């Protein structure tokens, strides 16, 4: 976890310096992205909020995304991750929206993705999505790896944007 906190310290400093904000929608990382960002003193300057969108019900309640909005879209996919990132950014009025959706393990998900599969996305001045495959069934290690990937993507985007 210390590596996540260190990465969040860097990201938080960049967000504060740029006077930018972030909102988070995460799934199989279980809140670790938000926890890391909030571990930094002064996080209220950049962290607007977020949620763990772990189930279809959470998607509807927290993100206000009805079934029709995701019809034909797999939840552990880059298009779904981008939809979450865009939605959380818009709902919170943040500069950046980040998201993660996948299968931490020890088994895969109902879509046929193996444990260690996740898709992450960022929406803001720069948009991108990517798929991560850890090839591991270690749930806790995958959760940390997924959260770190989100924070690294945000850090990279802050440097480029």
């Amino acid at each position: 976890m210390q590596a996540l906190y260190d990465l969040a310290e860097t990201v938080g400093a960049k967000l504060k310096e740029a006077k930018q904000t972030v909102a988070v929608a995460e799934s199989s990382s279980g809140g670790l992205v938000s926890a890391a960002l909030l571990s930094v003193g002064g996080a209220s300057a950049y962290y607007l909020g977020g949620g763990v969108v772990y189930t279809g019900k959470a998607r509807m309640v927290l993100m206000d995304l009805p079934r029709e909005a995701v019809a034909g879209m797999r939840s552990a996919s880059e298009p779904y991750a981008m939809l979450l990132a865009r939605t959380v950014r818009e709902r919170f009025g943040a500069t950046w929206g980040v998201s993660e959706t996948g299968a931490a393990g020890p088994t895969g998900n109902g879509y046929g993705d193996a444990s260690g599969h996740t898709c992450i996305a960022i929406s803001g001045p720069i948009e991108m999505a990517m798929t991560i495959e850890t090839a591991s069934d270690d749930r806790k290690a995958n959760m940390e790896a997924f959260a770190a990937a989100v924070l690294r993507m945000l850090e990279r985007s802050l440097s480029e944007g």
Side-chain angles (χ1 to χ4, degrees):
M1 287 296 295
Q2 189 58 50
L4 284 180
Y5 297 145
D6 293 344
L7 190 50
E9 186 90 32
T10 301
V11 169
K14 287 184 177 193
L15 285 164
K16 282 192 242 182
E17 181 181 325
K19 294 182 178 21
Q20 295 182 348
T21 56
V22 65
V24 180
E26 54 191 310
S27 176
S28 53
S29 56
L32 293 181
V33 174
S34 291
L37 288 168
L38 289 168
S39 74
V40 179
S44 60
Y46 60 82
Y47 184 88
L48 297 184
V52 178
V53 186
Y54 197 72
T55 64
K57 182 160 182 104
R59 180 191 69 230
M60 290 178 353
V61 172
L62 298 174
M63 302 297 290
D64 196 26
L65 289 173
R67 277 191 188 154
E68 303 79 45
V70 295
M73 191 179 296
R74 285 185 342 104
S75 71
S77 67
E78 290 182 20
Y80 181 70
M82 183 57 72
L83 176 63
L84 287 178
R86 286 176 179 154
T87 302
V88 77
R89 178 182 50 82
E90 290 167 7
R91 289 184 61 105
F92 281 90
T95 311
W96 299 98
V98 296
S99 71
E100 176 278 327
T101 176
T107 61
N109 62 24
Y111 302 104
D113 299 311
S115 174
H117 166 91
T118 196
C119 295
I120 63 174
I122 188 165
S123 176
I126 294 172
E127 285 195 335
M128 70 175 87
M130 69 172 46
T131 300
I132 308 288
E133 301 284 353
T134 68
S136 171
D137 62 359
D138 183 328
R139 185 176 185 83
K140 291 175 186 170
N142 283 335
M143 290 172 71
E144 288 185 35
F146 299 167
V150 171
L151 291 170
R152 282 193 300 272
M153 180 183 272
L154 180 55
E155 179 185 25
R156 206 168 39 248
S157 297
L158 286 162
S159 297
E160 294 172 13

